[in-house]
Amino acid sequence: QLEDSGGGLVQPGGSLRLSCAASGFTFSEYGMSWVRQAPGKGLEWVSGINSGGDSTSYAASVRGRFIISRDNGKNTLYLQMNSLKPEDTARYYCSTPSGMRGHGTQVTVSS
């Protein structure tokens, strides 16, 4: 099970930190990803991290602004989002390699 949280309404240029609490599987054994879906659009991969947390990757649209991390002791995945833009508005989900996702958390960037 995955439970996403931390979304909200933020002004352009602002920051948010998303969290994803994992349970029911051995979190520390799996690479994890964040994906997002904007209104009327398909699912977009945002960022990924390996099981140990020492290798990360980002979509070009967020590189340099977002930081993915994880705490295997707390079974939690994070996404620090800085310099947010209106085009970052979407529902954000953490995802396992098999595609399991939670309910997501809504991020709205608007003045």
Side-chain angles (χ1 to χ4, degrees), residues 9-93:
L9 173 64
V10 63
Q11 292 186 343
S15 298
L16 283 173
R17 189 194 196 202
L18 306 184
S19 298
C20 170
S23 61
F25 65 100
T26 309
F27 177 74
S28 61
E29 293 184 354
Y30 294 91
M32 296 290 294
S33 296
W34 285 98
V35 297
R36 66 186 181 185
Q37 187 164 26
K41 296 188 176 181
L43 209 59
E44 176 190 16
W45 175 82
V46 174
S47 182
I49 188 168
N50 70 342
S51 59
D54 58 354
S55 179
T56 59
S57 55
Y58 299 91
S61 58
V62 307
R63 191 175 296 123
R65 300 188 296 121
F66 289 11
I67 301 171
I68 189 172
S69 63
R70 65 192 296 162
D71 186 335
N72 286 341
K74 295 182 178 180
N75 290 345
T76 303
L77 179 72
Y78 302 100
L79 186 68
Q80 177 67 43
M81 304 189 297
N82 303 317
S83 302
L84 283 161
K85 305 175 181 180
E87 50 264 44
D88 295 318
T89 294
R91 193 162 190 86
Y92 285 73
Y93 305 83

